[in-house]
Amino acid sequence: MLFPQYRGRRMRASSALRRMVRETSLSVNDLILPLFAIGGKGVKNPIDSMPGHCQLSVDNIVKAAKEAYDLGVPSIMLFGVPDKKDALGTSAYDKNGIVQKAVREVKNKVPDLAVITDVCLCQYTDHGHCGVVEKGKIDNDMSLDLLARIAVSHAKAGADMVAPSDMMDGRVGEIREALDQEDLSETPIMSYAVKYCSAYYGPFRAAANSAPQFGDRRTYQMDPANVLEGIREATMDAEEGADIIMVKPALSYLDVISKVRDEVDLPMAAYNVSGEYAMIKAADQLGWIDGTKVMMETLTSIKRAGADIILTYHALEAARELDGK
């Protein structure tokens, strides 16, 4: 099609026309709100690098969950900030652990809100790694049983879905088998299948107190340069029984989201991570950008790349913005 027969501006002339031909639609139904649960009562510890977010005691987690539900956000993702840590992260699978308590209380007070739990060891271990440390290295196979225990304990507490984020090989199959053996076969798994070793996680690690105490996570999280490896990881997790596949981070990995979307026939999630959130908030506070517009453009780009679901710290703001349109 050539000018003047084709004039692209014809369909951009008004808001109504632009809406009629819009190719990508962002909805509140696409959003999941991450929350950080900590012990105590009435606790709201602000996270300096994530303005608007706090570590919340269970009573305040319930309030945040109600707010999300009232705005139409269908789900929250819970992360735990435990009172104690040890080498094996035992508080992660304690039936009275912080996440388990939060799950029970949210499901009691906001039963129609879907509660997803992060399944990992990093917040609960004194070394800060996502698996068992043996002779200074992360032992993949020794970690699998502990990860399965965490998932089962969350599901027994009432979690609607579990989300392993550890990047140990074989953990989806191990968790699926453990859930099935405990008559929890209806519990779906959202796998952090394509999780990169990213510098964008900094604010999260401060919020969850989960930075590794030695080394880094490059031996189990993915090299940011790789795409085909991501397709292999996603395919493997799908074959092991994952119900949803996730790519993390999102904004710098839109190409990965798109390519995995083309290869894996499962719902696709993407995590708009803490560093991505913090950059928008910081630039907005300095007056360098319009934070609301950049937020909505960012979330739309993630959806356009192929994500069906977006985990984002912007969830409440975006829900309000969508409700106002």
Side-chain angles (χ1 to χ4, degrees), residues 49-312:
S49 54
M50 297 173 64
H53 284 271
C54 301
Q55 297 172 334
L56 301 172
S57 53
V58 171
D59 54 320
N60 283 320
I61 287 283
V62 171
K63 291 177 183 178
K66 286 181 177 177
E67 182 179 11
Y69 180 74
D70 289 343
L71 286 168
V73 175
S75 181
I76 61 171
M77 170 83 87
L78 290 177
F79 297 90
V81 184
D83 295 330
K84 63 176 184 177
K85 302 187 179 194
D86 57 38
L88 297 178
T90 56
S91 62
Y93 44 90
D94 184 338
K95 67 178 181 180
N96 293 314
I98 185 60
V99 167
Q100 291 82 347
K101 289 178 180 177
V103 169
R104 286 192 290 267
E105 198 61 18
V106 171
K107 293 307 296 183
N108 180 45
K109 299 293 177 59
V110 198
D112 293 331
L113 182 73
V115 176
I116 306 171
T117 58
D118 177 76
V119 174
C120 197
L121 287 164
C122 61
Q123 299 107 286
Y124 306 92
T125 54
D126 52 16
H127 48 73
H129 278 286
C130 302
V132 175
V133 174
E134 183 72 11
K135 297 180 180 179
K137 295 183 179 181
I138 314 306
D139 191 305
N140 188 95
D141 294 4
M142 286 180 65
S143 305
L144 299 182
D145 177 64
L146 299 185
L147 293 164
R149 288 190 199 182
I150 299 169
V152 168
S153 73
H154 289 177
K156 285 184 174 180
D160 296 288
M161 183 182 299
V162 294
S165 62
D166 54 283
M167 286 299 286
M168 298 297 119
D169 293 337
R171 89 275 201 207
V172 171
E174 188 86 6
I175 290 170
R176 181 73 274 158
E177 183 178 357
L179 290 169
D180 291 351
Q181 287 177 351
E182 294 289 336
D183 294 325
L184 295 165
S185 60
E186 297 301 313
T187 303
I189 297 171
M190 176 192 288
S191 171
Y192 290 65
V194 189
K195 182 178 179 180
Y196 288 90
C197 189
S198 172
Y200 284 96
Y201 303 150
F204 172 92
R205 290 179 180 171
N209 191 20
S210 64
Q213 297 303 299
F214 68 90
D216 54 38
R217 294 177 176 152
R218 296 185 187 190
T219 64
Y220 46 103
Q221 294 179 357
M222 285 179 50
D223 187 329
N226 295 352
V227 178
L228 295 178
E229 182 185 7
I231 294 171
R232 289 196 297 271
E233 290 282 350
T235 301
M236 181 174 70
D237 284 5
E239 291 173 349
E240 289 182 17
D243 299 281
I244 298 174
I245 294 296
M246 186 196 299
V247 174
K248 179 184 180 182
L251 191 55
S252 292
Y253 298 86
L254 297 177
D255 60 321
V256 179
I257 295 170
S258 178
K259 289 178 180 178
V260 173
R261 166 77 289 162
D262 288 342
E263 296 292 333
V264 180
D265 186 21
L266 284 176
M268 174 73 61
Y271 202 143
N272 178 213
V273 298
S274 60
E276 296 167 350
Y277 174 86
M279 290 191 299
I280 290 176
K281 286 296 182 182
D284 182 51
Q285 288 178 353
L286 289 169
W288 292 348
I289 61 171
D290 183 320
T292 299
K293 289 182 178 179
V294 172
M295 168 187 72
M296 297 305 290
E297 186 174 340
T298 296
L299 296 176
T300 300
S301 75
I302 297 168
K303 187 77 183 293
R304 188 183 66 239
D308 303 297
I309 302 163
I310 305 172
L311 288 85
T312 177

Side-chain angles (χ1 to χ4, degrees), residues 15-28:
S15 174
L17 290 176
R18 291 192 295 273
R19 294 202 318 270
M20 285 171 60
V21 297
R22 187 161 291 153
E23 298 172 24
T24 303
S25 177
L26 182 68
S27 164
V28 68

